[in-house]
Amino acid sequence: VAPAVPSICGLPLKYVSLVTLAVQNAALTLIMHYSRVSAAPSRTYSAAAAVLMVELLKGSISLAVAFTRIDSYAPQYQPLGSQPATSLLNPWVWLSRFRRLGKEVFRSDCWKLSIPAILYVIQNNLQFVAVSNLEAATFQVSYQMKILTTAAFSVVMLRKKLSPVKWLALLFLAIGVGIVQIQNGSGHKSPDDMHRDMNAFKGFMAVAAACFTSGLAGVYFEMVLKNSPGDLWVRNVQLSLFSLLPALVPIVFSGSSNPVPTTGSGWFSTSLFENFGVWAWATVLTQVLGGLLTALVIKYADNILKGFATSLSIVISFLASVALFHFQITVSFILGATVVLVATWMYNQPDSSSTSGSEGTARE
Ligand code: C5P
């Protein structure tokens, strides 16, 4: 059964979340790159600590939302004559809610979330390696390869059928992203980046691996969401719970992702949050928002459409640069952005055959 699509101020949540995700993606690349490379190059914060904080925050928010919605997906047995108006004051009602939530979170199929959880933790750590070794624009554009890995995994794992028009749209999208990249890849480095010891090969390897895990984890999460019952927010809690252990691994094993020599005595000493300043927190919060939006987009749209939203983010971040930093719009940007927009429009055209399409195909 297709999920009912809620709306915000009359606008379908599907489109609101897609547009918000595009804006969030544009902001994240800039904030993350700035926090790692430009804000304080000699005093870098621990990427592993940031990944752990994101999971803790996302998990807590999801838990709170899951708790408030519990009656909608795990209805309580109402004894005859119970008074809902006074029920909020009744401690048994609260206890029952906690019990039902616990049962939902630890239901027998919760292990399914362990696979995307591990993949996402690897991806989130790789993202920091990539962003620290590549220019922001280069990173953002090469990260779009995940659209192709996602489409491939959707076809293989969800048996999604894409019409020739949709494949053509994906090809156009890749070409459009490449054209936008031409101007960025002109060898120009920002002054901040020039002072930084960046290893482009390491960066590209990290991006390639992150694209692989992004496609696989996203499609796996979509498969779990759409092929088995369970509330989205409960699934998010399960995802965060299973992320905690792998997120702790790089911290326990020497804090190797932190280039700063540790001065503390133990791995959980102050060194874990050393240099964890405003920009590190801004990165964490933007990632938390992105994770929650991603979950909504995967539920109400799908992974491939998510890829288009993130491609649009390239256009958004460039326009923001024009407005904020007075960058010059070039012919290649206009051409590339137009191709991206046309590809997005093409992908969203209804198919003539009813079997294909972006919605509903994941449900068998
Ligand atoms: O690049 P991509 O779109 O694959 O990134 C997805 C991001 O969203 C990852 O950082 C992942 O941790 C996060 N996510 C999440 N909750 C979900 C699905 C993804 O936090 N349910």
Side-chain angles (χ1 to χ4, degrees):
V1 179
V5 180
S7 58
I8 296 177
C9 302
L11 297 165
L13 187 58
K14 172 179 169 179
Y15 293 108
V16 175
S17 54
L18 277 167
V19 171
T20 322
L21 184 66
V23 176
Q24 179 275 342
N25 252 266
L28 179 63
T29 304
L30 299 176
I31 294 173
M32 203 175 185
H33 185 79
Y34 186 79
S35 75
R36 293 294 285 176
V37 177
S38 314
S42 57
R43 292 180 292 116
T44 315
Y45 62 93
S46 161
V51 172
L52 181 66
M53 284 317 297
V54 170
E55 290 310 330
L56 284 173
L57 282 172
K58 244 175 11 191
S60 310
I61 293 172
S62 302
L63 191 67
V65 178
F67 184 77
T68 57
R69 291 168 37 85
I70 186 85
D71 288 334
S72 66
Y73 58 86
Q76 182 186 18
Y77 168 64
Q78 291 273 346
L80 275 176
S82 67
Q83 295 296 320
T86 58
S87 63
L88 274 182
L89 299 174
N90 185 345
W92 292 110
V93 171
W94 287 87
L95 258 178
S96 142
R97 283 184 171 184
F98 278 117
R99 234 184 94 243
R100 280 181 287 149
L101 183 59
K103 271 189 175 171
E104 282 292 315
V105 170
F106 296 107
R107 53 191 281 167
S108 60
D109 70 349
C110 70
W111 62 269
K112 286 183 183 168
L113 274 295
S114 62
I115 294 162
I118 295 170
L119 289 168
Y120 274 139
V121 169
I122 296 173
Q123 177 189 341
N124 291 342
N125 277 290
L126 284 170
Q127 211 176 332
F128 275 98
V129 177
V131 97
S132 309
N133 286 286
L134 295 171
E135 284 178 71
T138 312
F139 165 74
Q140 198 176 19
V141 174
S142 33
Y143 205 25
Q144 301 306 312
M145 280 187 305
K146 65 186 173 186
I147 294 166
L148 299 178
T149 57
T150 303
F153 281 117
S154 298
V155 168
V156 174
M157 290 167 60
L158 292 170
R159 279 179 251 126
K160 201 163 270 198
K161 287 199 178 69
L162 296 183
S163 63
V165 174
K166 283 189 162 50
W167 279 114
L168 202 64
L170 283 169
L171 182 70
F172 275 180
L173 184 72
I175 293 172
V177 164
I179 297 174
V180 173
Q181 161 72 346
I182 290 172
Q183 58 166 20
N184 295 318
S186 55
H188 167 80
K189 265 189 171 188
S190 73
D192 285 329
D193 292 355
M194 281 203 270
H195 297 305
R196 183 96 190 162
D197 190 15
M198 297 202 291
N199 180 339
F201 180 73
K202 191 174 165 187
F204 277 119
M205 285 293 118
V207 164
C211 288
F212 181 84
T213 54
S214 166
L216 184 54
V219 171
Y220 197 99
F221 185 71
E222 184 175 344
M223 202 165 77
V224 174
L225 266 192
K226 295 183 175 169
N227 289 352
S228 54
D231 185 73
L232 170 69
W233 298 96
V234 173
R235 293 300 192 196
N236 272 349
V237 174
Q238 294 168 334
L239 194 67
S240 284
L241 279 180
F242 280 112
S243 301
L244 293 182
L245 204 62
L248 275 168
V249 170
I251 295 173
V252 174
F253 288 97
S254 84
S256 53
S257 55
N258 186 358
V260 180
T262 48
T263 49
S265 46
W267 55 267
F268 234 108
S269 68
T270 48
S271 66
L272 182 60
F273 287 102
E274 210 167 285
N275 305 322
F276 219 90
V278 174
W279 287 104
W281 282 111
T283 303
V284 165
L285 293 179
T286 317
Q287 274 192 308
V288 170
L289 177 69
L292 298 175
L293 285 169
T294 299
L296 287 171
V297 166
I298 292 178
K299 171 141 179 117
Y300 295 110
D302 71 12
N303 268 295
I304 302 182
L305 269 178
K306 175 170 77 67
F308 281 85
T310 50
S311 295
L312 287 178
S313 73
I314 297 180
V315 179
I316 295 173
S317 61
F318 190 87
L319 291 178
S321 307
V322 172
L324 297 173
F325 309 119
H326 307 106
F327 276 16
Q328 298 254 302
I329 290 192
T330 61
V331 176
S332 64
F333 171 76
I334 295 177
L335 189 67
T338 310
V339 175
V340 167
L341 292 171
V342 169
T344 308
W345 174 80
M346 266 174 77
Y347 191 87
N348 281 294
Q349 290 310 296
D351 283 326
S352 43
S353 89
S354 58
T355 46
S356 52
S358 61
E359 291 155 82
T361 45
R363 295 173 286 276
E364 299 194 326

